[in-house]
Amino acid sequence: MIIGRRGLIAGGAAALLPLPAEAGENWRVLGEDVRAEMRWAWNHYRKRAWGKDQITPVSGGSESFSIKGHHLGLSLIEALDTLWLMELDKEFQDGVDWIKAHLDFDVDGEVSVFETIIRLVGGLLSAWHACGDPVLLAKAKDLADRLMPSFEASPLGLPHRFINLRTGALRGSETNPAEIGSCITEFGTLSKATADPRYFDAAKKALVSMFERRSKIGLLADRIDCMTGEWKSRRATIGPPSDSYYEYLWDGWQLFGDVECLAMYRACTAAILQYQEVEIGDHFWFVDVDFETGGKISAEQDELSSFYGGLLAQGGNRRDGEAYTRAWDSVADRFGILPEGYDPETGKTSHVTNDLRPELADAAFNHWLIDRREEWRHMIAKHYRAMKRWNRAEYGYAVMADVTTKKQGDHCPGYWWSEQMKYYWLAFADCRRFDYRKNYLSTEGNVLLGLKR
Ligand code: DMJ
């Protein structure tokens, strides 16, 4: 097994292209299949969990997400722009009607600021982008206003992790880059729509404030106190809980043309490529390192990191991005479906669950948007077929308790409705309502630019 830093290994070529899952694929037929699965899952949700946060797909019940026992229609909101892109217009309108009749954020309950922004504010904004109904924008604004105190309480502009939607009480001053820095696209969209710069400014301040705390070698650690700015860990990672911080630096540039975001993205990426990219066996990986010395901490990989190949390619580092996405695809080949954790040094899983994740399809979709090569669509098709084979339960799609035994768990995360089903559809179906040349999808898959009404 070869382990070496990128650039130190002679002949460090990317892995050979994997064979297509099925040559001569009829993409439109596959797209129709995705749409039929979406409709099937939606009908179960409609019948058994309407307005609830999440359906439990094995037992056919429901569960709340953020606030114990209180539901905010999470899956419904996450699903909306996917339904609209699929031209499932009756289903889309039913969801919008539910929001108008029932959704109320005046709740004495605590939510995660990060999850609420990327899932609910983003979901409402993308649905508003789809149909223009002003009530959706008003709901997004009401929710964002309830979250704003988390940004305002810190002298550094770094938000607390949790806030009570009614009282504004804050908790969780120890936080991380992703939860601090994944909101500029949702808040920036809201600022543009309402002509109120406060949201964009708060999000940008958090991104910059985080960036300014990078080490001399340009890396960020993954835990920090939002009131003092003191680092609480030494680990630099491209995975959770840092992942979407890097994504939103690029996205601030992509969606708003913010040159400071671009400069911050470039600086972070250069440091990551220099200190974290290594060749292990046949593939390139990004390992966790000490943020001040660059010394390796661990080679274990989190499935959530597999989005990063697509981001690198978007930012212009196509060769590195493609190699990393192929590395993850080789793990999918090995286990039939991706485990949550993988150790490339041993070739074994480090976490055996599968959380019904979209990241590899997300990365492949981004590669495909850039170069339209069939390799990526075949990779997405493989991801879809594996999901259909292993994650389909009686009342929807389910996580997996163990990828080695293929035992399912009774849980369908909200992002399933917003992310992979959309990536599959857009990659296969030649969607009439999507601008394939000029678009923006958030970290949660919410389309904030590029819907064709
Ligand atoms: C989604 O909620 C978002 O993509 C987030 O950035 C991290 N990953 C989950 C899905 O796995």
Side-chain angles (χ1 to χ4, degrees), residues 149-165:
S150 69
F151 292 82
E152 291 154 357
S154 158
L156 310 171
L158 304 174
H160 279 71
R161 296 184 65 208
F162 302 101
I163 192 164
N164 181 299
L165 285 179

Side-chain angles (χ1 to χ4, degrees), residues 2-191:
I2 309 165
I3 303 178
R5 201 148 258 160
R6 173 131 201 159
L8 300 180
I9 298 292
L16 292 175
L17 299 189
L19 286 172
E22 289 191 18
E25 187 80 69
N26 185 329
W27 296 115
R28 277 178 195 277
V29 169
L30 199 57
E32 278 315 311
D33 194 65
V34 172
R35 197 165 99 113
E37 288 304 291
M38 183 74 177
R39 187 189 267 136
W40 168 81
W42 177 263
N43 285 340
H44 280 306
Y45 173 78
R46 184 86 176 78
K47 200 164 151 203
R48 297 177 166 268
W50 190 228
K52 306 291 186 200
D53 282 342
Q54 290 162 160
I55 190 167
T56 46
V58 174
S59 58
S62 61
E63 59 180 348
S64 57
F65 176 66
S66 273
I67 306 170
K68 202 163 187 285
H70 188 91
H71 295 262
L72 296 168
L74 174 73
S75 296
L76 179 160
I77 293 170
E78 297 231 40
L80 286 178
D81 65 342
T82 310
L83 294 170
W84 188 85
L85 285 163
M86 291 179 175
E87 301 187 32
L88 295 172
D89 291 338
K90 156 111 183 37
E91 289 82 353
F92 175 83
Q93 195 53 50
D94 280 354
V96 172
D97 291 346
W98 181 89
I99 289 172
K100 292 167 89 164
H102 302 288
L103 189 60
D104 183 0
F105 294 121
D106 186 19
V107 185
D108 186 7
E110 186 185 73
V111 297
S112 152
V113 173
F114 159 75
E115 298 288 6
T116 305
I117 293 172
I118 66 169
R119 293 165 184 249
L120 294 176
V121 176
L124 289 164
L125 287 173
S126 59
W128 169 71
H129 180 28
C131 69
D133 190 321
V135 175
L136 297 171
L137 179 60
K139 296 272 183 204
K141 178 174 157 34
D142 173 45
L143 184 54
D145 286 339
R146 294 172 188 276
L147 303 174
M148 281 297 276
S150 69
F151 292 82
E152 291 154 357
S154 158
L156 310 171
L158 304 174
H160 279 71
R161 296 184 65 208
F162 302 101
I163 192 164
N164 181 299
L165 285 179
R166 182 176 294 160
T167 67
L170 297 168
R171 186 173 68 83
S173 58
E174 186 172 313
T175 182
N176 55 68
E179 295 191 50
I180 284 167
S182 308
C183 51
I184 193 163
T185 58
E186 291 81 0
F187 274 18
T189 300
L190 193 56
S191 276

Side-chain angles (χ1 to χ4, degrees), residues 285-303:
W285 298 96
F286 289 87
V287 297
D288 296 347
V289 300
D290 183 287
F291 81 122
E292 286 181 322
T293 67
K296 188 182 120 186
I297 293 176
S298 166
E300 272 184 28
Q301 306 287 314
D302 194 306
E303 189 280 344

Side-chain angles (χ1 to χ4, degrees), residues 257-274:
D258 189 294
V259 289
E260 259 187 289
C261 283
L262 178 62
M264 292 190 287
Y265 173 79
R266 293 258 179 266
C268 287
T269 306
I272 289 168
L273 288 172
Q274 183 175 354

Side-chain angles (χ1 to χ4, degrees), residues 78 114-115 118-119 178 182 243-244 247-248 303-304 307 340 355-359 362 413 415-416 419-420 423 442-445:
E78 297 231 40
F114 159 75
E115 298 288 6
I118 66 169
R119 293 165 184 249
S182 308
D243 43 6
S244 48
E247 192 178 352
Y248 272 38
E303 189 280 344
L304 285 152
F307 84 99
E340 282 297 290
D355 278 358
L356 194 55
R357 298 273 187 198
E359 283 77 16
D362 179 359
Y415 52 73
W416 179 83
E419 292 210 55
Q420 59 260 58
Y423 308 142
S442 75
T443 191
E444 192 72 0

